[in-house]
Amino acid sequence: MEVQLLDIRKHFGPIKANDGISLSVPAGTIQGILGENGAGKSTLMKILSGFQPADNGSILLDGREVAMKSPADALRLGVGMLHQDPLDFPAMRVADNLLIGAPGGIRLHRSQLRASLAEHARSVGLALDLKADVSSLTVSERQQVELMRLLWLGARVLILDEPTTGISAAQKAELFSTLRRLAERGKTVIFVSHKLEEIQELCTRVAVLKQGRLVGEATPPYSVRQLVNMIFEREVTPGARAACAPGGPILKLSSLAVERGRIRLEGLDLEVRETETIGLAGMEGSGQSLLLKACAGLLPPVEGRVTMLGQELAGKPYHYFKRNGVAYVPAARLEEGLIAGLTLTDHFLLTQRKPGFFIDREKGRSIAQERIAEFNIRGTPSNTAESLSGGNQQRALLAIMKPEAKLMLLEHPTRGLDIESVIYVWRKLKERCNAGGAIIFSSSDLDELLRYSDRILVFFAGRVSTPLDADSTSVEELGRLIGGGSV
Amino acid sequence: MSDARTSHSTPTRLRSLLTGDAWINFGLQIGALILAFLLTSCILLVAGAPPFEAYKQVFLGAVGSVTSFSNVLVAWVPLLLAAAGVLVTFAAGLWNIGVEGQIVLGAVLTTWVLRLLQDTAISPVVIILLAILAGVVGGALWAVLAGVLKTFGGVNEIFGGLGLNFVATALTLWLIFGPWKRPGIGSMSGTEPFPERLGLPTMAGLRVSPWSLGLGILAVILVFVLLERTYFGLRLKAVGKNTRAAFLLGVPTWQYGLLAFLFCGGLAGLAGAIQVTSVYHRLIPAISSGYGFMGLMIGMLIAYRAIWVAPVALFFAALNIGSIQLPIVLKLDSTLSGVLQGALVLFVLLVEGARQRYMRRVRMRIAAPTTLEAPLSASGET
Ligand SMILES: Nc1ncnc2c1ncn2[C@@H]1O[C@H](COP(=O)(O)OP(=O)(O)OP(=O)(O)O)[C@@H](O)[C@H]1O
Ligand SMILES: [Mg+2]
């Protein structure tokens, strides 16, 4: 199905999220959408999929102008969207609803529906266990379920907003081949990402947004330099790897064992020193977050010790850890990190040290302004958390972290950030590190792990490797280890 | 409900009062008011009463004379206190249904202290102060009980509150007909009235006391300042909007929940104490008169914005007092006010719900997965 967007405009107060975007996507193509954080990508996609109306402009499907008042409307017309935040779309309920809320009735049709779904899954090449309990699915599996649902309901245009942020390399390869297959059959795929190599690998054409406008289009072969130039209007180069000079010990784990659900980590020994950065690699759900939570005091260890600056902390409550210089930044931005409905100022006020009793709004505003500038957040102090773009939420999350924290525990700290912001945020984090802090972070991006870590722990099926020296490890080797290879 | 709570905090609302959005909202609220009156009118017609005449009687009954208006003020005070209190628990995301029982317990403890000290030589002023203080403590403790049941016993505060309401009522009845019964025989008219010196002084010739009025208004101001201007209020809101994130950001969440209960219960207890010391001068079985539930209704009606407590509570009080006349003049039951109040709350919530649904379609989806239902499940039917 051919998609045409004509002069789409969408303003939020003074912010022009979409400022007259016209774009046409022929049937059977995989259209990439690039752009820095807050450029207006998600806004445009939400307009195209009926989640929000444009202030102005029109949408044409196969040359016919359409009006979409809701996602259901859009889907009836053949447009389906996979949302940016995997936690934001209720995949579980969707799958249930699919069977329960389907036309025709209750019991009897269930098996028929199942059969028809399974048939459909096979035909598009998705291997899904339809009987599995949806809550046990990984992000990637949920994505597949949602993708399936959209296709089953007749989507001919598929929109994927940063679908690769929570999935492994193998899962990504699978997703890409599915998308290619779909495009070959004439479906139109619109793919939003910050990762240029993904765009290069997958997309047959790409459009670049900046500050709500379409600033460029390209077709293969792409040059990374050219794309980066279009996105940021300048060259972006990551700084050289800086070697750290480790200081005194900050955190010491001795024969630590932690357990949650099916995963159990055992016999962990690790010493983290000042200025050090430890990367945690592995497939999603291999125990990285268990380790981070144990270090944060959110998961009491089954046995072993957690020693922070010489003080034994194992078994102490989270807030005690926090008071003693531990900061934890969760991956689920709007679930655990930020509070929807509160403004940025509110967030900074909430996390102030020694706040006193009465709120000084002016001071709050100026602190907010300062941190907004420091972390380059596109937004104002009175923006609520949920009104920020995905990448800007991520920056806000890092900006509200206590500056005086000695040990920073970060789950996917740069998830959803554009390339420039990744570099920028890491510079900020490293500054804090070099001022005597230490970082332990998890990531699914191998380059990021190798570039910013000093040592890397690889998680596989509940086992943790001995720390690898990031300097002498290659992407290939790291990839092999994550897949279960031995050192 | 979580939707309404996340909508606007007062400052942003004041700022947005000039924008078109606010006017639409205002229009919608007026629409809800009209619908409520229409529904009530229909009920009146079915009951065979002329609606216009009924409203006129209610109006005159409320503001027809200085006496009647002063009675409205008498009813206003406990409403102010209860509504202000539940705003604090609402802010923390808690449904303090138990506010009714907290008023009762306040009244019970106040009565207890008055009974204990009435025959001593202690100055009446001190006795009254102690009695009111006891009422505050009683309400607060009863509320904290609901909070403890929730925090440590896993009992939802709605069920806990309901249960405690029953217990509080049973306790009052037992006291009135048992240990505290009037000389001779216990009766529904309550305990033996206290001497006049143990009541809050009233305005000349009227039933309203400037002291209780002052306390009621003070409570509303206090709650407003607390919620809008203090870190305490901000943390409460954080807990109410996202407990998990608030915890991770360093807010001791369950402790704040208990504090919210404590605060709300204290205000409810104060309302009970005022009912005893300045309205009934004794403990009666229906000492709370449903003011707790009305306070909850007001809280919902104003979508938890403290700035609206005073006027809406005054309106509710006027309806209550105004409809007292109805049985005499129009042979109608005085519960008409309740019908109107209930209809009003329902329609305002309905209109708000419809608006949110519309906005959710229109705007970005911001709700958490658990509160999402409309758009995607609807598409499952195609
Ligand atoms: N509901 C809203 N209220 C106010 N501003 C909004 C709202 N939704 C989006 N915006 C603003 O519109 C701009 C564009 O946001 P959008 O989510 O489209 O960016 P994006 O390109 O998807 O960025 P990212 O890469 O960070 O996900 C941002 O500045 C954002 O703050
Ligand atoms: Mg986005």
Side-chain angles (χ1 to χ4, degrees), chain A residues 41-42 84 161-162 389-390:
Chain A
K41 305 178 296 295
S42 295
Q84 174 162 16
D161 195 356
E162 299 188 37
S389 81

mmCIF file with all atom_site columns, all heavy atoms in Angstrom, chain A residues 41-42 84 161-162 389-390, ligand 2:
data_model
loop_
_atom_site.group_PDB
_atom_site.id
_atom_site.type_symbol
_atom_site.label_atom_id
_atom_site.label_alt_id
_atom_site.label_comp_id
_atom_site.label_asym_id
_atom_site.label_entity_id
_atom_site.label_seq_id
_atom_site.pdbx_PDB_ins_code
_atom_site.Cartn_x
_atom_site.Cartn_y
_atom_site.Cartn_z
_atom_site.occupancy
_atom_site.B_iso_or_equiv
_atom_site.pdbx_formal_charge
_atom_site.auth_seq_id
_atom_site.auth_comp_id
_atom_site.auth_asym_id
_atom_site.auth_atom_id
_atom_site.pdbx_PDB_model_num
ATOM   1  N  N   . LYS A 1 41  ? 9.776  12.168 15.092 1.00 0.00 ? 41  LYS A N   1
ATOM   2  C  CA  . LYS A 1 41  ? 9.537  10.881 14.441 1.00 0.00 ? 41  LYS A CA  1
ATOM   3  C  C   . LYS A 1 41  ? 8.325  10.174 15.030 1.00 0.00 ? 41  LYS A C   1
ATOM   4  O  O   . LYS A 1 41  ? 7.400  9.798  14.299 1.00 0.00 ? 41  LYS A O   1
ATOM   5  C  CB  . LYS A 1 41  ? 10.777 9.979  14.590 1.00 0.00 ? 41  LYS A CB  1
ATOM   6  C  CG  . LYS A 1 41  ? 12.065 10.612 14.088 1.00 0.00 ? 41  LYS A CG  1
ATOM   7  C  CD  . LYS A 1 41  ? 13.255 9.700  14.292 1.00 0.00 ? 41  LYS A CD  1
ATOM   8  C  CE  . LYS A 1 41  ? 13.566 9.402  15.736 1.00 0.00 ? 41  LYS A CE  1
ATOM   9  N  NZ  . LYS A 1 41  ? 13.997 10.553 16.527 1.00 0.00 ? 41  LYS A NZ  1
ATOM   10 N  N   . SER A 1 42  ? 8.319  10.020 16.358 1.00 0.00 ? 42  SER A N   1
ATOM   11 C  CA  . SER A 1 42  ? 7.204  9.302  16.985 1.00 0.00 ? 42  SER A CA  1
ATOM   12 C  C   . SER A 1 42  ? 5.898  10.044 16.752 1.00 0.00 ? 42  SER A C   1
ATOM   13 O  O   . SER A 1 42  ? 4.859  9.424  16.514 1.00 0.00 ? 42  SER A O   1
ATOM   14 C  CB  . SER A 1 42  ? 7.449  9.142  18.484 1.00 0.00 ? 42  SER A CB  1
ATOM   15 O  OG  . SER A 1 42  ? 8.567  8.327  18.700 1.00 0.00 ? 42  SER A OG  1
ATOM   16 N  N   . GLN A 1 84  ? 7.151  2.595  20.386 1.00 0.00 ? 84  GLN A N   1
ATOM   17 C  CA  . GLN A 1 84  ? 8.533  2.786  20.804 1.00 0.00 ? 84  GLN A CA  1
ATOM   18 C  C   . GLN A 1 84  ? 8.837  2.052  22.090 1.00 0.00 ? 84  GLN A C   1
ATOM   19 O  O   . GLN A 1 84  ? 9.800  1.326  22.179 1.00 0.00 ? 84  GLN A O   1
ATOM   20 C  CB  . GLN A 1 84  ? 8.797  4.289  20.969 1.00 0.00 ? 84  GLN A CB  1
ATOM   21 C  CG  . GLN A 1 84  ? 10.178 4.607  21.536 1.00 0.00 ? 84  GLN A CG  1
ATOM   22 C  CD  . GLN A 1 84  ? 10.566 6.047  21.283 1.00 0.00 ? 84  GLN A CD  1
ATOM   23 O  OE1 . GLN A 1 84  ? 9.741  6.876  20.961 1.00 0.00 ? 84  GLN A OE1 1
ATOM   24 N  NE2 . GLN A 1 84  ? 11.830 6.347  21.406 1.00 0.00 ? 84  GLN A NE2 1
ATOM   25 N  N   . ASP A 1 161 ? 8.431  1.709  15.623 1.00 0.00 ? 161 ASP A N   1
ATOM   26 C  CA  . ASP A 1 161 ? 9.141  2.831  16.233 1.00 0.00 ? 161 ASP A CA  1
ATOM   27 C  C   . ASP A 1 161 ? 10.232 2.288  17.152 1.00 0.00 ? 161 ASP A C   1
ATOM   28 O  O   . ASP A 1 161 ? 9.943  1.759  18.219 1.00 0.00 ? 161 ASP A O   1
ATOM   29 C  CB  . ASP A 1 161 ? 8.146  3.704  17.019 1.00 0.00 ? 161 ASP A CB  1
ATOM   30 C  CG  . ASP A 1 161 ? 8.742  5.065  17.356 1.00 0.00 ? 161 ASP A CG  1
ATOM   31 O  OD1 . ASP A 1 161 ? 9.931  5.281  17.049 1.00 0.00 ? 161 ASP A OD1 1
ATOM   32 O  OD2 . ASP A 1 161 ? 8.016  5.899  17.929 1.00 0.00 ? 161 ASP A OD2 1
ATOM   33 N  N   . GLU A 1 162 ? 11.461 2.407  16.730 1.00 0.00 ? 162 GLU A N   1
ATOM   34 C  CA  . GLU A 1 162 ? 12.618 1.903  17.478 1.00 0.00 ? 162 GLU A CA  1
ATOM   35 C  C   . GLU A 1 162 ? 12.368 0.505  18.033 1.00 0.00 ? 162 GLU A C   1
ATOM   36 O  O   . GLU A 1 162 ? 12.355 0.293  19.239 1.00 0.00 ? 162 GLU A O   1
ATOM   37 C  CB  . GLU A 1 162 ? 12.983 2.881  18.604 1.00 0.00 ? 162 GLU A CB  1
ATOM   38 C  CG  . GLU A 1 162 ? 13.365 4.241  18.050 1.00 0.00 ? 162 GLU A CG  1
ATOM   39 C  CD  . GLU A 1 162 ? 13.925 5.171  19.114 1.00 0.00 ? 162 GLU A CD  1
ATOM   40 O  OE1 . GLU A 1 162 ? 14.636 4.683  19.999 1.00 0.00 ? 162 GLU A OE1 1
ATOM   41 O  OE2 . GLU A 1 162 ? 13.649 6.379  19.036 1.00 0.00 ? 162 GLU A OE2 1
ATOM   42 N  N   . SER A 1 389 ? 9.945  13.400 24.380 1.00 0.00 ? 389 SER A N   1
ATOM   43 C  CA  . SER A 1 389 ? 10.185 12.320 23.414 1.00 0.00 ? 389 SER A CA  1
ATOM   44 C  C   . SER A 1 389 ? 10.984 11.231 24.116 1.00 0.00 ? 389 SER A C   1
ATOM   45 O  O   . SER A 1 389 ? 11.602 11.458 25.156 1.00 0.00 ? 389 SER A O   1
ATOM   46 C  CB  . SER A 1 389 ? 10.943 12.847 22.211 1.00 0.00 ? 389 SER A CB  1
ATOM   47 O  OG  . SER A 1 389 ? 12.313 12.929 22.501 1.00 0.00 ? 389 SER A OG  1
ATOM   48 N  N   . GLY A 1 390 ? 10.968 10.025 23.550 1.00 0.00 ? 390 GLY A N   1
ATOM   49 C  CA  . GLY A 1 390 ? 11.615 8.881  24.185 1.00 0.00 ? 390 GLY A CA  1
ATOM   50 C  C   . GLY A 1 390 ? 13.048 9.169  24.615 1.00 0.00 ? 390 GLY A C   1
ATOM   51 O  O   . GLY A 1 390 ? 13.439 8.921  25.753 1.00 0.00 ? 390 GLY A O   1
HETATM 52 MG MG  . MG  C 2 .   ? 10.304 8.667  19.537 1.00 0.00 ? 2   MG  C MG  1
#
